[in-house]
Amino acid sequence: MSAIPPTMTKASSGDPADAAPGTGDGLKAGLKNRHLSMIAIGGVIGAGLFVGSGSGIAAAGPAILISYALVGAMVVLVMRMLGEMAAANPTSGSFSAYADRGLGRWAGFTIGWLYWFFWVVVLAVEATAGASILNGWVPDVPKWAWALIVMVVLTATNLASVSSYGEFEFWFAGIKVVAIAAFVVIGGLAVFGVLPGSDNPGAGLDHLTDAGGFLPNGPGAILTGVLMVVFSFMGSEIVTLAAGESENPQRAVRQATNSVIWRIAVFYLGSIFVVITLLPWNAKEIVKDGSYVAALNSIGIPHAGQVMNVIVLTAVLSCLNSGLYTASRMAFSLGRRGDAPKAFARVNGRGVPQAAILGSVVFGFLSVFFNYMWPDTVFKFLLNASGAVALFVWLVICFTQLRMRGIILRETPEKLVVRMWLFPYLTWATIGMILFVLGYMVYDGGDNRQQVALSVLVAAIVLVIGLVMDRRRQAVK
């Protein structure tokens, strides 16, 4: 039996905390519309876009644009499905709470804890990346100390109030958005030779085909590129978790869902297009210096490396800030549904789930410790075990939406303000795309196969725990 009440009104949503915003019993609506707008825009811009895109370009050549477009289309469809459910029932548990209602308590429990696990591991990855940049600027402070400082500061921010998280994320995301927009505009002008003072004469669209053609490594490289870029899109769903603490959650979700297409088109496809038209795809500096640094250097932007380090650090801090927020809110929602310790479900006088934040931070600190002590054993296991979770989350969202559409139409049809296109055909097509990517990861072998295997193993363990807990609850009843 699902823990979600049969109605889907605001007063009785998937997350009981949403019933009493602004009181000591629930989360406070402390996020303003400008916070939600910037969280939605910045959520799709992770550090992976800046750091990992060079390897994807080297693997697929100009055809990496198709890889980004395919993954982008998949994310757009998933976000549309999630937006449909979140607009009808905004909750801090988001897809986990909807899976609880649509598929069964086992599904909500499993995907909720897997998502939490994913983000606490990400905390360690991003803290280490940020520490490396800061150590380069101030080498007298060791990397572990920088990682500790960053984690402590952002933990304090999240503990202060949800508006503190929103304010930090507003400025972090704002810097990312401005940086990418400026890069696309300046780079686009340089591509066509109309940027004053550019060191790059501009080759127009010639670099798309002048180094072995558009598919220099064959059509199969497109799929290789898909595997390399798919996880850089994780985070677009954060806005649906944050919507439950906003002033107008339905409006925020609708706007975020409707704008996801242009966000991916501009920030991902636009910026990668600039890189591969400014430089030949096989230019060594793309991998050596990073794709964005290489592009800026070709134009003649002074101190391009340091400029990009500042932007990457901002992206890292943004990801850390959002990761801690997301993990804690998922833990809070699980606690409210009886699937996590009861302490996680309590909020303090400021409407902050303090125990859920601290519990998530503890595991984040442990992951950082493992990353420094046993990077090639314990931490690599954690990293690989969480590697395919993003695809699992998207898959669960698809199956949940198939069930939730009927429930919403039956119980609260007036709340179906966002609709999945061509339902159910595009939903099933998206399921097929995600399963294909998972299957290709297994076929590809190496780390990809290991990620799927370990992620499935961890998911199976969590699922078994969830089923056992559910049976015990049923026995008590």
Side-chain angles (χ1 to χ4, degrees), residues 177-193:
V177 169
V178 170
I180 289 288
F183 177 82
V184 170
V185 171
I186 293 171
L189 293 174
V191 166
F192 296 101

Side-chain angles (χ1 to χ4, degrees), residues 149-229:
I149 291 169
V150 167
M151 289 281 283
V152 168
V153 169
L154 292 179
T155 299
T157 300
N158 275 264
L159 285 172
S161 67
V162 67
S163 60
S164 297
Y165 156 73
E167 201 62 36
F168 268 73
E169 193 56 28
F170 176 82
W171 291 107
F172 286 153
I175 292 171
K176 290 190 293 183
V177 169
V178 170
I180 289 288
F183 177 82
V184 170
V185 171
I186 293 171
L189 293 174
V191 166
F192 296 101
V194 292
L195 180 69
S198 173
D199 293 346
N200 190 318
L205 304 181
D206 289 353
H207 288 323
L208 292 176
T209 55
D210 64 2
F214 188 73
L215 289 165
N217 297 325
I222 295 174
L223 295 177
T224 302
V226 165
L227 300 187
M228 299 181 79
V229 307

